[in-house]
């Protein structure tokens, strides 16, 4: 049965990417609110799953981005209304804050292809059944969050303790970018090039572009497994 998906997009260069491909193949209609362009937030009864994308702004930047406060309210309403919600990077941070967690600077910026590891709690979750315990995924973040009360920590990395969480079996926060494609990686490298300051946890654009077809196929499989298994 088709599932109505609505995506909240914060900047032109961080769209749904592989999430859109997955939705099209499954026959799920996908609508997008380009919040940076002034699009309205969706009505609660217009979607079954809310997908909250990433962006270079922080969760506390309401003064610069007036749509952040009403967006948080709509995310909170969606969760309270029993909707399925997926957050990517900034989206995961927004969900965490809405659920009462704190969002703050990570000790280091994590930019590039780095491994994550499933936690023991993550391995025990049906959502993660059969997934690899370690996976190389794409990161681009400087902030992190504490684990929301009642959420299950699914994954961590060497550079960031909170990489993924699941709340109420239907709200999924991912600090990393499983939706990435070569084009989306190229776009963020271009638009956020000022963040590529040499560091052990920050790869160069050239290093990021070296990811091969198998790497992208691996994260695509992880993404589709999680999206298929998450209740609608």
């Amino acid at each position: 049965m088709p599932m109505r998906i609505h995506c909240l997009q914060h900047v032109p260069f961080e769209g749904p990417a592989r999430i859109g491909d997955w939705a099209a193949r499954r026959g799920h209609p996908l609508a997008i609110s380009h919040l940076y362009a002034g699009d309205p937030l969706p009505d609660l009864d217009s979607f079954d799953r809310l997908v909250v994308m990433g962006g270079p702004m922080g969760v506390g930047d309401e003064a610069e981005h007036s749509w952040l406060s009403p967006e948080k309210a709509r995310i909170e309403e969606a969760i309270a209304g029993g909707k399925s919600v997926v957050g990517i990077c900034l989206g995961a941070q927004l969900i965490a804050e809405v659920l009462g967690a704190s969002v703050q600077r990570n000790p280091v910026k994590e930019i590039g292809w780095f491994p994550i590891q499933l936690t023991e709690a993550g391995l025990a979750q049906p959502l993660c059944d059969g997934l690899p315990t370690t996976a190389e995924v794409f990161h681009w973040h400087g902030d992190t969050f504490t684990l929301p009360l009642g959420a299950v920590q699914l994954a961590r990395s060497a550079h960031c303790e909170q990489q993924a969480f699941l709340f109420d079996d239907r709200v999924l926060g991912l600090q990393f970018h499983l939706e990435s494609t070569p084009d989306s990686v190229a776009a963020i490298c271009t638009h956020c090039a000022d963040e590529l300051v040499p560091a052990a946890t920050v790869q160069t654009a050239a290093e990021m572009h070296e990811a091969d077809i198998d790497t992208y196929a691996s994260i695509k499989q992880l993404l589709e497994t999680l999206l298929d298994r998450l209740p609608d």
Side-chain angles (χ1 to χ4, degrees):
M1 182 175 179
M3 172 174 50
R4 300 167 302 162
I5 301 171
H6 201 102
C7 177
L8 304 181
Q9 187 170 333
H10 305 113
V11 286
F13 55 89
E14 288 198 55
R18 288 287 187 211
I19 296 172
D21 298 340
W22 165 84
R25 284 196 305 275
R26 298 295 191 272
H28 301 319
L30 185 148
I32 301 176
S33 289
H34 300 270
L35 300 182
Y36 60 90
D39 287 354
L41 289 162
D43 293 332
L44 279 179
D45 61 3
S46 70
F47 63 87
D48 304 304
R49 175 174 294 174
L50 188 66
V51 177
V52 190
M53 298 307 304
M57 62 288 297
V59 298
D61 291 344
E62 288 101 336
E64 296 88 348
H65 306 287
S66 59
W67 38 263
L68 271 169
S69 290
E71 180 185 18
K72 292 177 189 178
R74 187 52 42 86
I75 293 169
E76 186 172 17
E77 291 165 357
I79 294 173
K83 303 286 186 177
S84 170
V85 184
V86 178
I88 308 292
C89 200
L90 171 65
Q93 296 163 13
L94 288 166
I95 292 172
E97 184 178 81
V98 161
L99 291 174
S102 63
V103 178
Q104 61 277 325
R105 287 291 183 192
N106 196 52
V108 296
K109 284 190 175 182
E110 190 175 26
I111 298 176
W113 295 93
F114 296 104
I116 58 164
Q117 298 82 36
L118 290 180
T119 63
E120 288 189 15
L123 288 168
Q125 287 293 311
L127 183 71
C128 301
D129 184 42
L131 297 184
T133 57
T134 300
E136 195 91 356
V137 299
F138 187 69
H139 305 260
W140 197 298
H141 70 100
D143 289 348
T144 187
F145 47 82
T146 58
L147 186 66
L149 184 65
V152 177
Q153 182 189 15
L154 301 179
R156 61 168 58 91
S157 75
H159 311 307
C160 182
E161 176 61 20
Q162 300 298 334
Q163 286 287 356
F165 66 85
L166 182 65
F167 178 80
D168 199 26
D169 293 328
R170 58 185 171 83
V171 179
L172 178 65
L174 303 175
Q175 182 59 72
F176 44 92
H177 294 268
L178 294 181
E179 82 285 2
S180 293
T181 65
D183 286 344
S184 72
V185 169
I188 195 170
C189 283
T190 297
H191 289 278
C192 298
D194 59 310
E195 294 189 56
L196 299 181
V197 178
T201 58
V202 178
Q203 293 179 345
T204 65
E207 287 173 319
M208 287 184 260
H209 292 325
E210 287 175 359
D212 59 21
I213 189 171
D214 290 337
T215 300
Y216 282 103
S218 175
I219 63 171
K220 174 178 175 285
Q221 181 62 49
L222 287 174
L223 173 73
E224 295 190 348
T225 298
L226 293 173
L227 295 179
D228 282 338
R229 290 179 177 176
L230 198 67
D232 41 290

